[in-house]
mmCIF file of all heavy atoms in Angstrom:
data_model
loop_
_atom_site.group_PDB
_atom_site.id
_atom_site.type_symbol
_atom_site.label_atom_id
_atom_site.label_comp_id
_atom_site.label_asym_id
_atom_site.label_seq_id
_atom_site.Cartn_x
_atom_site.Cartn_y
_atom_site.Cartn_z
ATOM 1 N N GLN A 1193 -3.243 7.797 -21.063
ATOM 2 C CA GLN A 1193 -3.368 6.781 -22.163
ATOM 3 C C GLN A 1193 -4.711 6.081 -22.073
ATOM 4 O O GLN A 1193 -5.290 5.769 -23.145
ATOM 5 C CB GLN A 1193 -2.207 5.795 -21.997
ATOM 6 C CG GLN A 1193 -0.836 6.405 -22.253
ATOM 7 C CD GLN A 1193 0.249 5.413 -22.061
ATOM 8 O OE1 GLN A 1193 0.037 4.230 -21.633
ATOM 9 N NE2 GLN A 1193 1.477 5.766 -22.249
ATOM 10 N N ARG A 1194 -5.250 5.826 -20.882
ATOM 11 C CA ARG A 1194 -6.477 5.113 -20.728
ATOM 12 C C ARG A 1194 -7.603 6.002 -21.283
ATOM 13 O O ARG A 1194 -8.561 5.519 -21.909
ATOM 14 C CB ARG A 1194 -6.805 4.754 -19.273
ATOM 15 C CG ARG A 1194 -8.006 3.924 -19.118
ATOM 16 C CD ARG A 1194 -8.248 3.739 -17.542
ATOM 17 N NE ARG A 1194 -8.752 4.901 -16.969
ATOM 18 C CZ ARG A 1194 -10.028 5.240 -16.981
ATOM 19 N NH1 ARG A 1194 -10.871 4.461 -17.562
ATOM 20 N NH2 ARG A 1194 -10.428 6.363 -16.381
ATOM 21 N N LEU A 1195 -7.533 7.317 -21.050
ATOM 22 C CA LEU A 1195 -8.596 8.234 -21.541
ATOM 23 C C LEU A 1195 -8.343 8.579 -22.964
ATOM 24 O O LEU A 1195 -9.293 9.289 -23.574
ATOM 25 C CB LEU A 1195 -8.521 9.555 -20.643
ATOM 26 C CG LEU A 1195 -8.841 9.349 -19.150
ATOM 27 C CD1 LEU A 1195 -8.734 10.573 -18.345
ATOM 28 C CD2 LEU A 1195 -10.345 8.794 -19.023
ATOM 29 N N GLY A 1196 -7.259 8.296 -23.544
ATOM 30 C CA GLY A 1196 -7.024 8.583 -24.939
ATOM 31 C C GLY A 1196 -6.674 9.997 -25.242
ATOM 32 O O GLY A 1196 -7.019 10.581 -26.253
ATOM 33 N N ILE A 1197 -6.035 10.729 -24.286
ATOM 34 C CA ILE A 1197 -5.666 12.130 -24.480
ATOM 35 C C ILE A 1197 -4.152 12.222 -24.587
ATOM 36 O O ILE A 1197 -3.411 11.425 -23.967
ATOM 37 C CB ILE A 1197 -6.132 12.990 -23.375
ATOM 38 C CG1 ILE A 1197 -5.580 12.638 -22.019
ATOM 39 C CG2 ILE A 1197 -7.650 12.962 -23.338
ATOM 40 C CD1 ILE A 1197 -6.038 13.523 -20.861
ATOM 41 N N SER A 1198 -3.715 13.190 -25.269
ATOM 42 C CA SER A 1198 -2.260 13.455 -25.450
ATOM 43 C C SER A 1198 -1.883 14.646 -24.549
ATOM 44 O O SER A 1198 -2.456 15.677 -24.509
ATOM 45 C CB SER A 1198 -1.906 13.822 -26.942
ATOM 46 O OG SER A 1198 -0.561 14.115 -27.027
ATOM 47 N N ILE A 1199 -0.843 14.388 -23.777
ATOM 48 C CA ILE A 1199 -0.343 15.405 -22.787
ATOM 49 C C ILE A 1199 1.176 15.429 -22.767
ATOM 50 O O ILE A 1199 1.819 14.361 -22.654
ATOM 51 C CB ILE A 1199 -0.918 15.081 -21.371
ATOM 52 C CG1 ILE A 1199 -0.544 16.164 -20.420
ATOM 53 C CG2 ILE A 1199 -0.512 13.652 -20.844
ATOM 54 C CD1 ILE A 1199 -1.228 16.048 -19.101
ATOM 55 N N ASP A 1200 1.755 16.569 -22.958
ATOM 56 C CA ASP A 1200 3.195 16.692 -23.005
ATOM 57 C C ASP A 1200 3.770 16.864 -21.612
ATOM 58 O O ASP A 1200 3.069 17.040 -20.599
ATOM 59 C CB ASP A 1200 3.619 17.854 -23.871
ATOM 60 C CG ASP A 1200 2.994 19.173 -23.443
ATOM 61 O OD1 ASP A 1200 2.457 19.259 -22.294
ATOM 62 O OD2 ASP A 1200 3.018 20.151 -24.241
ATOM 63 N N GLU A 1201 5.141 16.823 -21.543
ATOM 64 C CA GLU A 1201 5.759 16.859 -20.204
ATOM 65 C C GLU A 1201 5.556 18.201 -19.495
ATOM 66 O O GLU A 1201 5.450 18.314 -18.257
ATOM 67 C CB GLU A 1201 7.290 16.567 -20.403
ATOM 68 C CG GLU A 1201 7.624 15.158 -20.773
ATOM 69 C CD GLU A 1201 7.161 14.172 -19.691
ATOM 70 O OE1 GLU A 1201 7.327 14.564 -18.460
ATOM 71 O OE2 GLU A 1201 6.829 13.091 -20.009
ATOM 72 N N LYS A 1202 5.504 19.269 -20.259
ATOM 73 C CA LYS A 1202 5.311 20.602 -19.668
ATOM 74 C C LYS A 1202 3.932 20.749 -19.021
ATOM 75 O O LYS A 1202 3.794 21.172 -17.809
ATOM 76 C CB LYS A 1202 5.323 21.618 -20.729
ATOM 77 C CG LYS A 1202 5.245 23.084 -20.288
ATOM 78 C CD LYS A 1202 5.349 24.105 -21.415
ATOM 79 C CE LYS A 1202 5.287 25.498 -20.845
ATOM 80 N NZ LYS A 1202 5.393 26.503 -21.972
ATOM 81 N N ARG A 1203 2.886 20.251 -19.674
ATOM 82 C CA ARG A 1203 1.536 20.275 -19.066
ATOM 83 C C ARG A 1203 1.444 19.213 -17.876
ATOM 84 O O ARG A 1203 0.830 19.520 -16.856
ATOM 85 C CB ARG A 1203 0.483 19.826 -20.123
ATOM 86 C CG ARG A 1203 -0.969 19.923 -19.623
ATOM 87 C CD ARG A 1203 -1.333 21.337 -19.129
ATOM 88 N NE ARG A 1203 -2.734 21.308 -18.648
ATOM 89 C CZ ARG A 1203 -3.179 22.380 -17.973
ATOM 90 N NH1 ARG A 1203 -2.413 23.400 -17.654
ATOM 91 N NH2 ARG A 1203 -4.485 22.318 -17.521
ATOM 92 N N LEU A 1204 2.131 18.150 -18.004
ATOM 93 C CA LEU A 1204 2.174 17.145 -16.907
ATOM 94 C C LEU A 1204 2.809 17.741 -15.695
ATOM 95 O O LEU A 1204 2.384 17.549 -14.536
ATOM 96 C CB LEU A 1204 2.885 15.891 -17.423
ATOM 97 C CG LEU A 1204 2.722 14.661 -16.430
ATOM 98 C CD1 LEU A 1204 1.249 14.237 -16.499
ATOM 99 C CD2 LEU A 1204 3.629 13.531 -16.986
ATOM 100 N N ALA A 1205 3.917 18.512 -15.892
ATOM 101 C CA ALA A 1205 4.626 19.181 -14.788
ATOM 102 C C ALA A 1205 3.705 20.181 -14.043
ATOM 103 O O ALA A 1205 3.822 20.391 -12.828
ATOM 104 C CB ALA A 1205 5.916 19.813 -15.238
ATOM 105 N N LYS A 1206 2.819 20.818 -14.791
ATOM 106 C CA LYS A 1206 1.906 21.820 -14.275
ATOM 107 C C LYS A 1206 0.741 21.153 -13.464
ATOM 108 O O LYS A 1206 0.252 21.645 -12.463
ATOM 109 C CB LYS A 1206 1.364 22.688 -15.397
ATOM 110 C CG LYS A 1206 0.538 23.812 -14.816
ATOM 111 C CD LYS A 1206 0.092 24.745 -16.027
ATOM 112 C CE LYS A 1206 -0.724 25.841 -15.452
ATOM 113 N NZ LYS A 1206 -1.284 26.834 -16.543
ATOM 114 N N LEU A 1207 0.328 20.020 -13.980
ATOM 115 C CA LEU A 1207 -0.776 19.261 -13.385
ATOM 116 C C LEU A 1207 -0.426 18.504 -12.051
ATOM 117 O O LEU A 1207 -1.205 18.264 -11.198
ATOM 118 C CB LEU A 1207 -1.463 18.348 -14.314
ATOM 119 C CG LEU A 1207 -2.100 19.071 -15.545
ATOM 120 C CD1 LEU A 1207 -2.755 18.014 -16.485
ATOM 121 C CD2 LEU A 1207 -3.317 19.998 -15.031
ATOM 122 N N GLN A 1208 0.880 18.066 -12.019
ATOM 123 C CA GLN A 1208 1.291 17.143 -10.969
ATOM 124 C C GLN A 1208 1.132 17.736 -9.578
ATOM 125 O O GLN A 1208 0.703 17.069 -8.634
ATOM 126 C CB GLN A 1208 2.680 16.714 -11.257
ATOM 127 C CG GLN A 1208 3.204 15.555 -10.313
ATOM 128 C CD GLN A 1208 3.835 16.101 -9.110
ATOM 129 O OE1 GLN A 1208 4.553 17.112 -9.123
ATOM 130 N NE2 GLN A 1208 3.651 15.476 -7.930
ATOM 131 N N PRO A 1209 1.513 19.045 -9.360
ATOM 132 C CA PRO A 1209 1.326 19.620 -8.055
ATOM 133 C C PRO A 1209 -0.172 19.658 -7.585
ATOM 134 O O PRO A 1209 -0.376 19.702 -6.382
ATOM 135 C CB PRO A 1209 1.867 21.047 -8.227
ATOM 136 C CG PRO A 1209 2.818 20.976 -9.369
ATOM 137 C CD PRO A 1209 2.227 19.975 -10.239
ATOM 138 N N LEU A 1210 -1.098 19.589 -8.525
ATOM 139 C CA LEU A 1210 -2.509 19.609 -8.107
ATOM 140 C C LEU A 1210 -2.908 18.313 -7.443
ATOM 141 O O LEU A 1210 -3.880 18.236 -6.664
ATOM 142 C CB LEU A 1210 -3.418 19.842 -9.322
ATOM 143 C CG LEU A 1210 -3.247 21.105 -10.079
ATOM 144 C CD1 LEU A 1210 -4.102 21.188 -11.335
ATOM 145 C CD2 LEU A 1210 -3.451 22.304 -9.194
ATOM 146 N N ALA A 1211 -2.142 17.212 -7.696
ATOM 147 C CA ALA A 1211 -2.461 15.832 -7.152
ATOM 148 C C ALA A 1211 -1.623 15.583 -5.873
ATOM 149 O O ALA A 1211 -1.946 14.763 -5.072
ATOM 150 C CB ALA A 1211 -2.173 14.794 -8.127
ATOM 151 N N GLY A 1212 -0.467 16.398 -5.695
ATOM 152 C CA GLY A 1212 0.349 16.131 -4.588
ATOM 153 C C GLY A 1212 0.987 14.773 -4.670
ATOM 154 O O GLY A 1212 1.475 14.363 -5.731
ATOM 155 N N GLN A 1213 0.793 13.953 -3.645
ATOM 156 C CA GLN A 1213 1.315 12.528 -3.609
ATOM 157 C C GLN A 1213 0.142 11.639 -3.565
ATOM 158 O O GLN A 1213 0.313 10.434 -2.905
ATOM 159 C CB GLN A 1213 2.285 12.275 -2.560
ATOM 160 C CG GLN A 1213 3.560 13.157 -2.716
ATOM 161 C CD GLN A 1213 4.581 13.016 -1.585
ATOM 162 O OE1 GLN A 1213 4.211 13.254 -0.401
ATOM 163 N NE2 GLN A 1213 5.772 12.573 -1.816
ATOM 164 N N ASN A 1214 -1.004 11.987 -4.087
ATOM 165 C CA ASN A 1214 -2.189 11.102 -3.931
ATOM 166 C C ASN A 1214 -2.569 10.457 -5.321
ATOM 167 O O ASN A 1214 -2.915 11.315 -6.191
ATOM 168 C CB ASN A 1214 -3.383 11.977 -3.416
ATOM 169 C CG ASN A 1214 -4.558 11.131 -3.065
ATOM 170 O OD1 ASN A 1214 -4.872 10.190 -3.738
ATOM 171 N ND2 ASN A 1214 -5.201 11.492 -1.953
ATOM 172 N N PRO A 1215 -2.420 9.227 -5.539
ATOM 173 C CA PRO A 1215 -2.667 8.608 -6.873
ATOM 174 C C PRO A 1215 -4.188 8.812 -7.271
ATOM 175 O O PRO A 1215 -4.471 8.924 -8.469
ATOM 176 C CB PRO A 1215 -2.303 7.139 -6.638
ATOM 177 C CG PRO A 1215 -1.405 7.122 -5.498
ATOM 178 C CD PRO A 1215 -1.823 8.189 -4.595
ATOM 179 N N THR A 1216 -5.107 8.771 -6.263
ATOM 180 C CA THR A 1216 -6.513 8.996 -6.645
ATOM 181 C C THR A 1216 -6.721 10.291 -7.133
ATOM 182 O O THR A 1216 -7.480 10.584 -8.188
ATOM 183 C CB THR A 1216 -7.373 8.759 -5.357
ATOM 184 O OG1 THR A 1216 -7.147 7.437 -4.834
ATOM 185 C CG2 THR A 1216 -8.868 8.886 -5.748
ATOM 186 N N LEU A 1217 -6.123 11.375 -6.583
ATOM 187 C CA LEU A 1217 -6.236 12.736 -7.073
ATOM 188 C C LEU A 1217 -5.610 12.934 -8.437
ATOM 189 O O LEU A 1217 -6.051 13.718 -9.261
ATOM 190 C CB LEU A 1217 -5.719 13.751 -6.081
ATOM 191 C CG LEU A 1217 -6.446 14.001 -4.771
ATOM 192 C CD1 LEU A 1217 -5.772 15.042 -3.940
ATOM 193 C CD2 LEU A 1217 -7.886 14.413 -5.059
ATOM 194 N N ALA A 1218 -4.556 12.173 -8.618
ATOM 195 C CA ALA A 1218 -3.801 12.179 -9.929
ATOM 196 C C ALA A 1218 -4.760 11.721 -11.115
ATOM 197 O O ALA A 1218 -4.806 12.349 -12.162
ATOM 198 C CB ALA A 1218 -2.569 11.243 -9.852
ATOM 199 N N ARG A 1219 -5.477 10.666 -10.798
ATOM 200 C CA ARG A 1219 -6.461 10.188 -11.874
ATOM 201 C C ARG A 1219 -7.599 11.229 -11.936
ATOM 202 O O ARG A 1219 -8.055 11.457 -13.108
ATOM 203 C CB ARG A 1219 -7.001 8.818 -11.424
ATOM 204 C CG ARG A 1219 -5.975 7.720 -11.468
ATOM 205 C CD ARG A 1219 -6.620 6.389 -11.351
ATOM 206 N NE ARG A 1219 -7.244 6.221 -10.027
ATOM 207 C CZ ARG A 1219 -6.676 5.668 -9.013
ATOM 208 N NH1 ARG A 1219 -5.428 5.259 -9.051
ATOM 209 N NH2 ARG A 1219 -7.294 5.574 -7.809
ATOM 210 N N LYS A 1220 -7.998 11.869 -10.910
ATOM 211 C CA LYS A 1220 -9.124 12.839 -10.925
ATOM 212 C C LYS A 1220 -8.728 14.031 -11.791
ATOM 213 O O LYS A 1220 -9.460 14.599 -12.518
ATOM 214 C CB LYS A 1220 -9.601 13.182 -9.577
ATOM 215 C CG LYS A 1220 -10.747 14.126 -9.507
ATOM 216 C CD LYS A 1220 -11.142 14.360 -8.069
ATOM 217 C CE LYS A 1220 -12.420 15.262 -8.047
ATOM 218 N NZ LYS A 1220 -12.771 15.549 -6.619
ATOM 219 N N VAL A 1221 -7.469 14.497 -11.525
ATOM 220 C CA VAL A 1221 -6.987 15.603 -12.264
ATOM 221 C C VAL A 1221 -6.913 15.381 -13.716
ATOM 222 O O VAL A 1221 -7.293 16.259 -14.616
ATOM 223 C CB VAL A 1221 -5.589 16.052 -11.759
ATOM 224 C CG1 VAL A 1221 -4.903 17.034 -12.679
ATOM 225 C CG2 VAL A 1221 -5.647 16.633 -10.330
ATOM 226 N N LEU A 1222 -6.538 14.149 -14.174
ATOM 227 C CA LEU A 1222 -6.486 13.860 -15.594
ATOM 228 C C LEU A 1222 -7.852 13.714 -16.199
ATOM 229 O O LEU A 1222 -8.150 14.152 -17.297
ATOM 230 C CB LEU A 1222 -5.717 12.540 -15.778
ATOM 231 C CG LEU A 1222 -4.306 12.743 -16.139
ATOM 232 C CD1 LEU A 1222 -4.194 13.327 -17.619
ATOM 233 C CD2 LEU A 1222 -3.468 13.578 -15.241
ATOM 234 N N ARG A 1223 -8.879 13.240 -15.404
ATOM 235 C CA ARG A 1223 -10.202 13.218 -15.901
ATOM 236 C C ARG A 1223 -10.789 14.599 -16.098
ATOM 237 O O ARG A 1223 -11.485 14.827 -17.110
ATOM 238 C CB ARG A 1223 -11.151 12.417 -14.912
ATOM 239 C CG ARG A 1223 -10.835 10.902 -14.850
ATOM 240 C CD ARG A 1223 -11.952 10.179 -14.282
ATOM 241 N NE ARG A 1223 -12.229 10.566 -12.849
ATOM 242 C CZ ARG A 1223 -11.589 9.991 -11.784
ATOM 243 N NH1 ARG A 1223 -10.766 8.978 -11.976
ATOM 244 N NH2 ARG A 1223 -11.842 10.346 -10.605
ATOM 245 N N ALA A 1224 -10.415 15.494 -15.160
ATOM 246 C CA ALA A 1224 -10.839 16.895 -15.406
ATOM 247 C C ALA A 1224 -10.204 17.501 -16.609
ATOM 248 O O ALA A 1224 -10.816 18.285 -17.360
ATOM 249 C CB ALA A 1224 -10.620 17.722 -14.141
ATOM 250 N N GLU A 1225 -8.939 17.196 -16.814
ATOM 251 C CA GLU A 1225 -8.123 17.668 -17.944
ATOM 252 C C GLU A 1225 -8.821 17.216 -19.290
ATOM 253 O O GLU A 1225 -8.913 17.984 -20.287
ATOM 254 C CB GLU A 1225 -6.764 17.284 -17.921
ATOM 255 C CG GLU A 1225 -5.801 17.725 -18.999
ATOM 256 C CD GLU A 1225 -5.567 19.173 -19.030
ATOM 257 O OE1 GLU A 1225 -5.882 19.830 -17.986
ATOM 258 O OE2 GLU A 1225 -4.982 19.607 -20.041
ATOM 259 N N ALA A 1226 -9.226 15.890 -19.287
ATOM 260 C CA ALA A 1226 -9.842 15.367 -20.383
ATOM 261 C C ALA A 1226 -11.172 16.008 -20.817
ATOM 262 O O ALA A 1226 -11.549 16.083 -21.927
ATOM 263 C CB ALA A 1226 -10.041 13.862 -20.269
#
Side-chain angles (χ1 to χ4, degrees):
Q1193 293 177 357
R1194 189 185 71 83
L1195 296 174
I1197 62 176
S1198 177
I1199 184 169
D1200 56 15
E1201 291 296 325
K1202 182 178 180 180
R1203 183 59 181 168
L1204 194 64
K1206 185 176 181 180
L1207 294 177
Q1208 189 270 323
L1210 300 178
Q1213 294 176 303
N1214 191 320
T1216 302
L1217 287 181
R1219 293 191 296 268
K1220 184 177 181 180
V1221 168
L1222 261 294
R1223 290 197 299 268
E1225 178 73 10

